Amino acid sequence: MNTFSGKIALITGASRGIGRGCAVALAEAGADIAVNYRTREESARETCSLIESLGKRAIPIQADVSMASDVGRMIKTIERELGAVGILVNNAGVAKRQPLDEIREEDWDAIIAVNLKSAFLVTQAVLPGMRARRWGRIINISSGAAQIGGVVGPHYAASKAGVLGLTHAYASLLIKEGITANAVAPSLIETDMVTHDLQVNPTMVPLGRFGTVEEVADVVVTLARNAYITGQTIYVNGGRYMS
Ligand code: NAP
């Protein structure tokens, strides 16, 4: 498939998990890929190898996307080495499960910075290029926690609900400029976040199993293809929350 031939996609947090799945799926659909990561360089290089084996270009790029200075450096490097970003997947996120009475101000600030502020910072940084070319796809990874609260805590749920407001604002402000903005809200996808950190199990999903990163990536590719869907949230959750 060459739907996105000539397009550059940036996926934040693509060293593993859902981000890696999205990076590979967008490469299969023809895009060249910027693979952002925070600390796991080796894993990011593995994602790049998977993409290169599909015949597409890929660069690993370290940046803490909660920091404006890192984001600015990342976008400059991508534009120099690959070209201007047309497809942005704001995926990087953290989920620190904590008992309710132990959540402190610094925990709140850290989660909001990585899960919500980052999506604003990266979107603002790529928007001038999208607007100049009058084409862009912004896809924000939210969570079912935005609706049902979830298992991590109020700071996580609030960050993911914030992502939906951000998505609606960009969708309505950019609708005349060939740029769509949508959210994908997974629940209980089999990644490190779920299997290492959250102590959850498949019986919590009505379907009876965890989701796969490919099932999330499939929706991301559809949203990147479709010019008429904007301002929407697509839930990928085995029936855990019905919208
Ligand atoms: P994961 O396996 O823990 O992977 C997280 C990714 O984000 C890694 O690539 C990590 O980079 C990167 N990252 C974390 N903080 C970052 C930062 N400050 N700057 C840049 N990159 C950063 O998580 P996942 O399960 O794939 O989750 C991906 C997204 O889906 C998150 O936004 C998460 O909240 C959301 N989500 C997941 C589920 C689920 O069931 N898995 C459900 C709902 C929503 P390093 O590898 O370098 O650390």
Side-chain angles (χ1 to χ4, degrees), residues 5-121:
S5 187
K7 302 275 190 232
I8 312 301
L10 163 61
I11 297 92
T12 67
S15 46
R16 54 201 167 102
I18 291 170
R20 175 184 279 183
C22 293
V24 171
L26 287 165
E28 280 170 346
D32 295 317
I33 312 287
V35 173
N36 162 251
Y37 66 99
R38 182 187 44 186
T39 53
R40 298 185 196 208
E41 182 179 353
E42 196 52 41
S43 302
R45 289 191 183 283
E46 280 167 24
T47 305
C48 290
S49 298
L50 292 171
I51 293 161
E52 285 159 358
S53 71
L54 296 166
K56 304 311 299 182
R57 294 185 295 158
I59 57 166
I61 179 141
Q62 192 284 328
D64 179 341
V65 289
S66 68
M67 296 175 59
S69 55
D70 275 27
V71 169
R73 170 179 54 75
M74 172 175 74
I75 300 303
K76 276 203 187 90
T77 306
I78 296 167
E79 288 178 348
R80 192 178 61 239
E81 296 192 15
L82 287 179
V85 174
I87 302 168
L88 168 64
V89 183
N90 283 309
N91 165 79
V94 287
K96 186 179 172 193
R97 185 177 190 148
Q98 287 175 285
L100 206 47
D101 52 6
E102 287 178 18
I103 301 170
R104 298 155 302 158
E105 182 181 3
E106 49 266 44
D107 301 314
W108 170 273
D109 288 344
I111 288 260
I112 297 291
V114 177
N115 293 3
L116 177 57
K117 187 172 95 171
S118 68
F120 165 73
L121 291 176

Side-chain angles (χ1 to χ4, degrees), residues 86-221:
I87 302 168
L88 168 64
V89 183
N90 283 309
N91 165 79
V94 287
K96 186 179 172 193
R97 185 177 190 148
Q98 287 175 285
L100 206 47
D101 52 6
E102 287 178 18
I103 301 170
R104 298 155 302 158
E105 182 181 3
E106 49 266 44
D107 301 314
W108 170 273
D109 288 344
I111 288 260
I112 297 291
V114 177
N115 293 3
L116 177 57
K117 187 172 95 171
S118 68
F120 165 73
L121 291 176
V122 183
T123 303
Q124 290 293 110
V126 302
L127 263 184
M130 289 181 177
R131 297 181 92 176
R133 288 183 310 288
R134 298 190 71 79
W135 195 92
R137 298 285 181 267
I138 300 161
I139 301 162
N140 297 322
I141 306 299
S142 176
S143 167
Q147 300 295 345
I148 61 173
V151 296
V152 183
H155 48 348
Y156 181 79
S159 72
K160 293 300 184 179
V163 163
L164 301 186
L166 194 75
T167 304
H168 298 161
Y170 283 125
S172 56
L173 291 168
L174 298 166
I175 198 157
K176 298 273 200 239
E177 299 187 46
I179 301 168
T180 67
N182 290 287
V184 177
S187 292
L188 299 185
I189 307 302
E190 192 160 11
T191 66
D192 292 348
M193 183 178 280
V194 158
T195 56
H196 294 181
D197 298 337
L198 296 184
Q199 299 149 359
V200 289
N201 67 69
T203 62
M204 298 166 75
V205 182
L207 185 60
R209 66 165 174 83
F210 289 143
T212 67
V213 297
E214 290 79 13
E215 286 167 328
V216 181
D218 184 52
V219 175
V220 167
V221 171

